[in-house]
Amino acid sequence: MSTPSTDTRRLFDVHRGAGAPRLASDRTPPPPATLKKWLRDMMLIREFELRCMQAYQDKKIGGFCHVYIGQEAVAVGCVAATKPEDPLVTAYRDHGHALARGMTARACMAEMFGRIDGCAKGKGGSMHMFDKPNNMFGGHGIVGAQTPLGLGLAFATKYEDEVMQNGRNKRVTLCFLGDGALNQGALHEAMNLAGLMDIPVVFVVENNGYSMGTSIHRGTTMAHDLKSKAIGYGIDAAVVEGMDVLECYWGMKQVVDDARERSRPWFIDLRCYRYKGHSMSDPRKYRTRDEEEAWESDDPIGKLERYMLENGVVTESETKDMWKDVKAEVRDCVAFADASPMPEAGELYTDVYMEPWGPYPGSSRPTFMGGAPNTPSFTAIDPKGEVL
Amino acid sequence: MSALREIEFRDALREAMTEEMRRDQRVFLLGEEVAHYNGAYKVSKGMLDEFGPRRIIDTPISESGFAGLAIGAAMQGLRPIVEFMSWSFSLVAADPILNNAPKMLYMSGGQFGCPVVFRGNDGAGGQLGSTHSWCVEGMYSNVPGLKMAIPATPDDAKGLLKTAIRDDDPVFFLESERMLGMKGHVPEGEEILVPFGQGRIRRAGADCTIATWGRPVHFALEAAEALAKEGIDCEVIDLRTIRPLDIGSVVRSVKKTSTCVVVDQSWSFGSPGSELAAQVHKHCFDDLDNFVHRVHTADVPAPYAYNLEQEYLPNARKICEAVRAATYNA
């Protein structure tokens, strides 16, 4: 099998601290079933996002909506490098990560529509996708805010291994952020703590070159070498190709395995591009059409499709069927979301507190998790009290 | 029966944490100087020796980073206790403690709770100036999704903190540097769990209800003794928690006394005191002989000079004046 086409970007540019062992590079192509799953997952995200844009225009989706088109290889390649029990947390451009992690398109679209069958009962919206069974810890709307959370998730997995002894399963947390979050203090505090405390968290910078309308060169120092941001915190760092799912997987697999083995943080400058605007209201006047076309011609889905065709993994009629299948799934999730009821007015007061008191009736799981009530483990509030 | 055991407020806090950490491996303590230094105010003294560095964790000065770490750990199933050396320093961690912890359960549609306790010194210390003298209950009690406890005595400090650690919701636990050395009776060997949302009548009286919490409870009791000599018999209610707020106990008292003074050491504008006064007006409209009088910290930044700081804070003299005004004509 030949490797997929590459361009002049350096695919895997690594900085390691003194004494760190060599990374075990393995560029064996994954088996056909895996490649097919990746291709289908990327197609699903692409089609899902296109329909989100349409539904947004139709005013079925409110608020802000940030689509992932162009970056599909990042979520799919990174998730493929992890185990299902590894925690994942990301920022507000989160539909792709949710779907790649295994959230159903139905729960995701119903959330976009603000309906009761959404992953968060319609209380979170586009920027706040949570999926506990798949260890997806959000979807966070404040730039950089998820980076200390990712640190904490990884801290907790290490704590469980070392203090609670409930299985030394050595989980690694993937904490995604955009290049705009490089300039938030929270990230730098999180990186310092991660380096200091040997926390197995991988900070994955989805470097699409723009924080909203500000190009990385206008807002960030050392934009040509983001690794330097992490090296100062004693964190190993690498550049990984994000427009090619195979390269992304191969790079991230080495990183995730190393983080798991050595219980150390990593920082990844993952080069990618968002084809659409920052959000639905962005006319993209800060960049040229030529630039966009150059990146779009490097499309990650087309690239994997060509690779699989060239290597006899799929036939053209099979990829056509895959597109058809994905389109049907997305049509179904839109119909599902449309038919799902809006949350009842009483939902306004649920899930504020685990424990029922005053105007708050307590909490329950969303419908995709069975909808059963959450039972608090301890009653803190005097049940006889007349409280507000 | 052994003699009544008296311990300091800080010892009571330590006992609560220690007992809960022995009981539940998911509980750990992190913050600045909590381990090797034995706590900036010696609250965690000796805990490193008992529990080791994996559970008593020194952090660098990175409130936003370690508060966020605790929230992520809580989402994953642990039960962190975060010590802020001063709640004044929590302002740089406003995003994690206000935007993440109290909203996670709601935003995730019931998937991820945040059983985390944030605790530390709140209110003016001893002449620390404006930046170190915050009474954060004024701002933070505004946020739904969090619970807030403010103990006034060592026994309540222990009982409320144990409840806070076991609670499945995020708890903001406000202590006072001025009170850490205060001694009081705390029963030994007994399981003390003080429920939230249940005030405590610190002094029974018939003429005027003084509703307060935290350090000003002691100013109110001092005022009540002085007023008793003038023939004004005050009932002092220590609310103990702000969220939930035990409005029932205050209403029952005001229906008896017909007058009410609220004492709150935060600024008056948009404060727990203003909320409590509004609720008393609503529930006791026909019972009140006068509007609810309020004693707050002066509406200025905290001053440094000793005499100005004393005048800035609620004190017994101001409470006496408010009670006299509230009961005048009564």
Side-chain angles (χ1 to χ4, degrees), chain A residues 35-48 71-77 243-246 299-304 323 326:
Chain A
L35 290 171
K36 282 181 191 170
K37 182 185 182 308
W38 291 356
L39 183 61
R40 191 185 187 285
D41 283 354
M42 288 163 67
M43 288 171 165
L44 178 69
I45 296 169
R46 177 72 53 96
E47 185 62 20
F48 184 93
Q71 296 178 218
E72 295 90 344
V74 177
V76 172
M243 298 303 279
D244 181 329
V245 69
L246 273 162
D299 184 60
I301 299 179
K303 197 180 291 174
L304 180 61
W323 276 117
V326 156

Side-chain angles (χ1 to χ4, degrees), chain A residues 224-277:
Chain A
H224 63 285
D225 184 18
L226 296 180
K227 295 198 307 303
S228 60
K229 306 268 180 194
I231 292 166
Y233 296 109
I235 298 181
D236 289 352
V239 177
V240 170
E241 167 59 49
M243 298 303 279
D244 181 329
V245 69
L246 273 162
E247 291 296 343
C248 179
Y249 168 75
W250 281 325
M252 287 302 295
K253 186 75 170 60
Q254 297 175 60
V255 164
V256 169
D257 288 353
D258 183 76
R260 197 186 306 285
E261 196 45 47
R262 298 170 59 230
S263 187
R264 281 292 300 168
W266 270 87
F267 173 96
I268 306 301
D269 174 3
L270 220 154
R271 305 282 174 81
C272 55
Y273 199 76
R274 63 165 150 78
Y275 295 178
K276 306 296 176 186

Side-chain angles (χ1 to χ4, degrees), chain B residues 9-26:
Chain B
F9 203 104
R10 58 163 60 81
D11 302 324
L13 294 167
R14 183 186 318 116
E15 279 191 3
M17 292 193 289
T18 301
E19 287 176 18
E20 293 305 303
M21 284 185 65
R22 287 179 192 148
R23 181 180 168 271
D24 186 347
Q25 279 197 316
R26 296 172 299 172

Side-chain angles (χ1 to χ4, degrees), chain B residues 106-160:
Chain B
Y106 201 78
M107 287 203 312
S108 66
Q111 293 186 58
F112 293 104
C114 266
V116 52
V117 177
F118 299 107
R119 48 159 289 269
N121 290 310
D122 176 68
Q127 293 183 267
L128 301 179
S130 287
T131 59
H132 285 52
S133 301
W134 273 87
C135 293
V136 294
E137 59 269 39
M139 286 195 304
Y140 294 171
S141 66
N142 191 238
V143 182
L146 60 83
K147 293 174 180 169
M148 183 178 282
I150 312 182
T153 49
D155 54 345
D156 277 354
K158 181 172 179 183
L160 288 167

Side-chain angles (χ1 to χ4, degrees), chain A residues 123-135:
Chain A
K123 295 180 182 181
S126 163
M127 299 189 284
H128 307 113
M129 295 291 172
F130 292 83
D131 183 350
K132 194 170 189 176
N134 285 308
N135 291 305

